[in-house]
Amino acid sequence: MKILIANPGSTSYKCKLYDITDLPTRQTGIKILFQATVERIGDKEGIYSYNFERDEKKLLKLEIPDYTFAINLTLESIKEKILIEEINAVGFKTVHAKGVSGCVELTDDVLKAMEDYRFLAPVHTDVYITAISVFKKLLNNTPLIGLFETHFHKNIPPEAYLYGIPYEYFEKYGIRKYGFHGASHRFIGIKAKELFGAEKVISCHLGGSSSVCAIKDGLSIDTSMGMSPQSGLLQAKRVGDLDPFALLYLMKKENLTIEEVGNILMSKGGIYGISGISGDFRDIEEGMLKGNKRAELAFKTFAYYVKRYIGEYLAILNSADCIAFTAGAGQNSALLRKEILSNMEDLGIVIDEEKNNLNPKEGLISHKSSKIKIAIIPANEEYIVANEVKNFLENK
Ligand code: ADP
């Protein structure tokens, strides 16, 4: 079975074509037939790279005016070796839709439900709606399937997902915690069990967008993001947790409309908001090296938030077998991991500085005295989406 996983970003588009016919059921291996990255969509100097299995990567620089052009480009490349008709489905890691969860066919009704919750995650939702609409035009006979990022968190109990608002608003509008990064956390849960036999896992997905998840026996039981992916940890440029009355006070003082305050909290907040320089940890670390105090403040605040959520989940899980780091910063920033896990020895959490500094692609970075294993596990969200789409098609 051939499944194309489409991954649209705000100015980029990535895709991978998987052959999962012979996918071993208990291993997290998967065969990639083709992969492509289109960068700087909307720019005169766009970058396009692609390669087939085992082939050299090809790199082209060309104007990439819009999403239709970008997706078409990748489909034309696929045609060099594979018939488009051979693609059984296109899978998307969709974000949020009112009343929709799980792995579903992206019908017009589902797109409407995505529109309904667009307000909660406009940056994420818009690119998906655009990409899905382009695929509907270009491949109108191929099923388009979405795995919603909220799905993995479906077992979170009410006491963990309810907010202290009148219950009728929960019933009427679905205002509650949903959680995101479901495919990533689910993969970490599977992999931590496979590699280390871990049943109780605290998964830290730290990147441009970040969240922490408490996993027990492969299921999410709590997570840091709430009704929208703007909450929980500080995000690169998004606010993270905020006292609702601080928000109302800010609106009153600055005379801001809902749209204005939404934009500020979505594009001028988070690590960027505190540091004043960037939402990218590489810039923050460079700033710290140069003695930039605000960069240090943003770094420490972010690490503190992660530590706090780890503490929460140690309490909820009654300790843990493994704390796993994944995504851009989780996998690559030894400094961040060290800061997060500093002074947790009495909880049985001891990082091995030497191993941590080596930044292994995958493996343990805990000291031998550590009761709880500490690991780096590379993200592989596409694996989860491809598998779910495969199951969906087989059980349709
Ligand atoms: P996404 O933006 O989808 O979350 P990633 O998971 O790849 O994508 O995370 C990207 C982020 O990871 C970057 O914005 C940066 O903050 C961080 N990052 C990537 N590489 C490094 C690195 N070598 N050191 C520190 N942080 C890094």
Side-chain angles (χ1 to χ4, degrees):
M1 189 179 287
K2 292 188 179 64
I3 294 172
L4 182 70
I5 302 298
N7 190 356
S10 53
T11 60
S12 69
Y13 168 70
K14 294 179 190 148
C15 67
K16 284 185 185 163
L17 181 62
Y18 291 98
D19 186 347
I20 56 174
T21 315
D22 301 319
L23 184 71
T25 48
R26 292 178 61 80
Q27 283 174 25
T28 46
I30 196 164
K31 190 170 167 189
I32 300 169
L33 301 172
F34 169 89
Q35 53 189 323
T37 302
V38 189
E39 287 168 281
R40 299 191 188 159
I41 298 175
D43 201 304
K44 280 212 175 338
E45 287 169 32
I47 305 169
Y48 175 46
S49 62
Y50 72 95
N51 67 286
F52 286 90
E53 209 192 351
R54 293 191 212 100
D55 283 1
E56 287 268 302
K57 196 187 241 184
K58 288 190 189 161
L59 184 83
L60 284 95
K61 295 200 171 167
L62 73 168
E63 181 177 355
I64 301 165
D66 53 29
Y67 248 98
T68 308
F69 189 91
I71 291 173
N72 229 336
L73 203 60
T74 58
L75 293 177
E76 286 303 314
S77 300
I78 291 174
K79 281 186 203 163
E80 287 173 20
K81 292 198 181 179
I82 295 160
L83 292 173
I84 291 295
E85 294 71 39
E86 285 179 51
I87 300 175
N88 297 85
V90 184
F92 297 84
K93 190 166 56 75
T94 36
V95 184
H96 209 3
K98 187 162 192 271
V100 181
S101 182
C103 195
V104 299
E105 186 140 13
L106 295 164
T107 59
D108 290 344
D109 283 347
V110 173
L111 284 177
K112 263 194 220 123
M114 286 171 74
E115 283 280 355
D116 210 336
Y117 269 178
R118 179 190 171 274
F119 181 82
L120 300 169
V123 180
H124 303 79
T125 303
D126 281 355
V127 288
Y128 272 94
I129 291 179
T130 306
I132 292 161
S133 310
V134 172
F135 270 104
K136 273 187 188 280
K137 277 192 215 125
L138 295 177
L139 300 183
N140 58 2
N141 288 323
T142 312
L144 307 180
I145 316 290
L147 172 64
F148 281 87
E149 284 284 67
T150 50
H151 183 55
F152 180 54
H153 307 294
K154 64 182 185 302
N155 299 299
I156 289 180
E159 60 270 27
Y161 70 61
L162 282 176
Y163 294 128
I165 52 169
Y167 196 75
E168 69 210 59
Y169 296 139
F170 157 67
E171 293 179 309
K172 207 164 156 187
Y173 302 115
I175 297 177
R176 51 160 279 186
K177 173 187 280 200
Y178 289 95
F180 298 86
H181 290 138
S184 175
H185 291 307
R186 183 163 166 207
F187 180 79
I188 298 305
I190 294 172
K191 206 64 186 168
K193 170 98 202 252
E194 191 178 296
L195 294 171
F196 318 117
E199 309 274 357
K200 295 195 278 187
V201 180
I202 299 177
S203 167
C204 306
H205 176 113
L206 313 178
S209 176
S210 304
S211 67
V212 184
C213 181
I215 301 169
K216 193 173 179 196
D217 301 326
L219 304 176
S220 165
I221 58 164
D222 202 353
T223 190
S224 57
M225 279 176 171
M227 181 170 186
S228 83
Q230 326 287 349
S231 56
L233 299 175
L234 294 180
Q235 310 295 333
K237 292 190 172 178
R238 308 198 307 274
V239 59
D241 287 338
L242 175 70
D243 179 340
F245 270 73
L247 169 66
L248 298 177
Y249 183 76
L250 172 68
M251 288 177 77
K252 200 172 159 69
K253 282 285 171 189
E254 294 273 317
N255 202 14
L256 298 167
T257 64
I258 292 176
E259 278 69 30
E260 284 166 343
V261 79
N263 277 334
I264 292 169
L265 298 183
M266 213 161 47
S267 60
K268 293 185 179 161
I271 294 157
Y272 172 78
I274 294 180
S275 71
I277 55 166
S278 171
D280 188 310
F281 283 102
R282 289 164 288 198
D283 301 334
I284 295 297
E285 288 182 24
E286 204 185 307
M288 282 163 60
L289 278 177
K290 290 183 187 150
N292 184 323
K293 290 289 170 209
R294 291 258 303 272
E296 189 180 340
L297 196 58
F299 183 85
K300 290 211 157 158
T301 310
F302 179 83
Y304 186 89
Y305 272 49
V306 181
K307 188 196 277 285
R308 194 164 58 194
Y309 274 109
I310 290 175
E312 259 187 40
Y313 298 155
L314 284 170
I316 286 164
L317 289 165
N318 189 9
S319 192
D321 302 317
C322 178
I323 297 172
F325 290 92
T326 192
Q331 289 171 226
N332 296 301
S333 178
L335 200 62
L336 184 62
R337 293 188 301 261
K338 183 180 159 199
E339 179 73 22
I340 292 167
L341 298 182
S342 62
N343 293 320
M344 294 179 90
E345 294 80 7
D346 290 354
L347 290 167
I349 299 168
V350 190
I351 201 162
D352 184 314
E353 290 210 23
E354 226 170 274
K355 287 185 194 158
N356 184 42
N357 287 336
L358 287 174
N359 250 331
K361 194 168 181 312
E362 178 178 273
L364 291 177
I365 51 166
S366 34
H367 191 264
K368 58 178 184 320
S369 64
S370 189
K371 194 172 106 283
I372 296 176
K373 291 187 172 74
I374 307 164
I376 296 177
I377 300 178
N380 194 351
E381 294 155 287
E382 293 94 343
Y383 169 85
I384 297 293
V385 184
N387 263 299
E388 283 285 327
V389 173
K390 177 179 179 261
N391 291 340
F392 177 88
L393 293 177
E394 285 173 350
N395 297 315
K396 213 159 81 148

